[in-house]
Amino acid sequence: MSTRSTSPEKWALCVVRCCLHLPQLFSTCVAFSLVTDMGIGKGAIGNWSLCIWGFCFTVTLITSITELCKVQSCFPFFWNNFPVTYACYSALVCLSVSIIYSVTYIQFLPYGPHRDRAIAATASSCIASVLYAMEVACTWNGYKIMNTTCYVLTVPGLLKVLETFMAGVIFAFLSNTSLYLHQPALEWCVAVYSICFILAAVTALLNLGEWEHRLPVEAVITMLSVLLYISALVLWPLYQFNEEFGGQPQRSSDGDCRDELTYNMCTWDQRLAVAVLTAINLLVYVADLGYWARQVSVGTEDQLRDS
């Protein structure tokens, strides 16, 4: 990783990050405080949202202190990779929390102070997501000026962030083990999500550590992930929504979905969410495969031209 920059440029980027960290801390703290202070049952979705906001607040605070105290060299990994990687994931998780919390919780609340607080918490989470995205954009521009490379700010790096993030959201829905334990085909789908997540995470970590000769290996891993996700995209809807395989084609057939107020997504909605997320993540893997296919094609043309 090349870093040809002057100390003032690095310090300027650090100042910009810290200026963004202040409203990030405020937004996540407000969202966390509002939901905590509501005083009513929050269910799994509310508790999951609180964990996300609390985690983002804590890591952002630690990152700010580390950069202000200039102790980045105490960490084993190159520090330039960590803040922007964390900001990418924080922007995505805060946005997903805002969407899931509003869709599965706020719409069922009666009009009143609790609903207003929940809406305000969702708005604060959206603001935090925008602020984290701004940090990614500012870091991207700063690294261009300083001629500093970073894996996360490349096309394959961003795709790996999306792949692992989408898998993480899928795992959140799969915390309800009743969705898949009754059927071996569905257990295979869960294994697919786990295998592909591990492969993507390991690949990202190796690239953050400046792994060389990654082109053929990463292309093969991406191809394998695409094939595995295709099998999951076929099997999951087939065994969840087809009556011949024990599925429930209609939402009304799920008794959990008939409750007027629920703090958890009903089982049928969770099945549908996993199916949709599987299709989206497959598209991300296909885009990743297309990128590596193009890289292999360009490399082959260069070799033929040299010979």
Side-chain angles (χ1 to χ4, degrees):
M1 180 175 296
S2 61
T3 310
R4 298 193 298 270
S5 60
T6 61
S7 295
E9 291 172 335
K10 290 182 180 180
W11 178 247
L13 181 58
C14 178
V15 170
V16 171
R17 282 176 177 167
C18 290
C19 290
L20 288 171
H21 288 171
L22 290 176
Q24 289 168 1
L25 291 170
F26 178 77
S27 299
T28 52
C29 182
V30 168
F32 184 90
S33 301
L34 286 172
V35 175
T36 303
D37 194 47
M38 287 175 65
I40 59 176
K42 294 175 285 295
I45 297 298
N47 293 331
W48 175 69
S49 302
L50 287 174
C51 290
I52 293 297
W53 292 325
F55 177 80
C56 289
F57 176 88
T58 303
V59 178
T60 301
L61 180 62
I62 294 174
T63 303
S64 300
I65 294 174
T66 301
E67 292 193 331
L68 289 174
C69 295
K70 300 181 180 180
V71 293
Q72 298 94 319
S73 59
C74 297
F75 293 87
F77 292 99
F78 189 57
W79 181 258
N80 282 347
N81 281 313
F82 174 75
V84 66
T85 304
Y86 163 71
C88 285
Y89 281 110
S90 296
L92 292 171
V93 295
C94 286
L95 179 61
S96 65
V97 166
S98 303
I99 296 173
I100 295 174
Y101 188 70
S102 60
V103 170
T104 64
Y105 183 78
I106 294 179
Q107 65 171 331
F108 299 107
L109 288 175
Y111 289 96
H114 290 315
R115 183 185 179 94
D116 294 339
R117 289 187 180 185
I119 293 175
T122 303
S124 297
S125 183
C126 289
I127 293 172
S129 177
V130 172
L131 291 169
Y132 282 116
M134 290 175 60
E135 181 180 353
V136 175
C138 291
T139 304
W140 197 329
N141 291 331
Y143 283 2
K144 283 184 178 180
I145 294 174
M146 295 186 295
N147 196 23
T148 301
T149 58
C150 179
Y151 172 70
V152 178
L153 298 180
T154 62
V155 172
L158 291 174
L159 290 173
K160 282 292 177 288
V161 169
L162 288 175
E163 290 164 5
T164 52
F165 166 74
M166 295 300 296
V169 178
I170 291 174
F171 290 142
F173 289 112
L174 292 178
S175 59
N176 181 7
T177 56
S178 63
L179 292 179
Y180 56 87
L181 285 182
H182 62 284
Q183 186 60 252
L186 298 177
E187 293 177 0
W188 162 255
C189 294
V190 177
V192 167
Y193 302 138
S194 302
I195 293 171
C196 293
F197 173 79
I198 293 172
L199 290 175
V202 170
T203 301
L205 289 174
L206 289 174
N207 280 285
L208 288 174
E210 299 180 348
W211 176 37
E212 296 181 357
H213 311 297
R214 68 175 189 261
L215 179 58
V217 176
E218 208 163 336
V220 171
I221 289 176
T222 306
M223 172 65 79
L224 175 62
S225 299
V226 168
L227 295 176
L228 290 174
Y229 256 87
I230 290 175
S231 69
L233 184 61
V234 173
L235 293 175
W236 184 270
L238 188 64
Y239 281 85
Q240 294 287 14
F241 305 116
N242 193 318
E243 286 183 324
E244 296 181 3
F245 295 91
Q248 295 177 319
Q250 300 295 329
R251 187 177 188 272
S252 58
S253 60
D254 189 346
D256 295 339
C257 297
R258 299 170 188 167
D259 295 338
E260 183 178 353
L261 174 60
T262 176
Y263 298 113
N264 298 305
M265 292 182 69
C266 66
T267 303
W268 197 91
D269 288 342
Q270 293 177 20
R271 293 168 179 158
L272 179 61
V274 172
V276 173
L277 291 171
T278 300
I280 295 174
N281 212 15
L282 175 59
L283 292 177
V284 178
Y285 274 107
V286 169
D288 197 359
L289 180 61
Y291 173 85
W292 287 114
R294 181 179 181 278
Q295 294 297 108
V296 171
S297 176
V298 171
T300 303
E301 291 178 359
D302 291 341
Q303 291 180 357
L304 293 174
R305 192 178 300 110
D306 294 339
S307 61

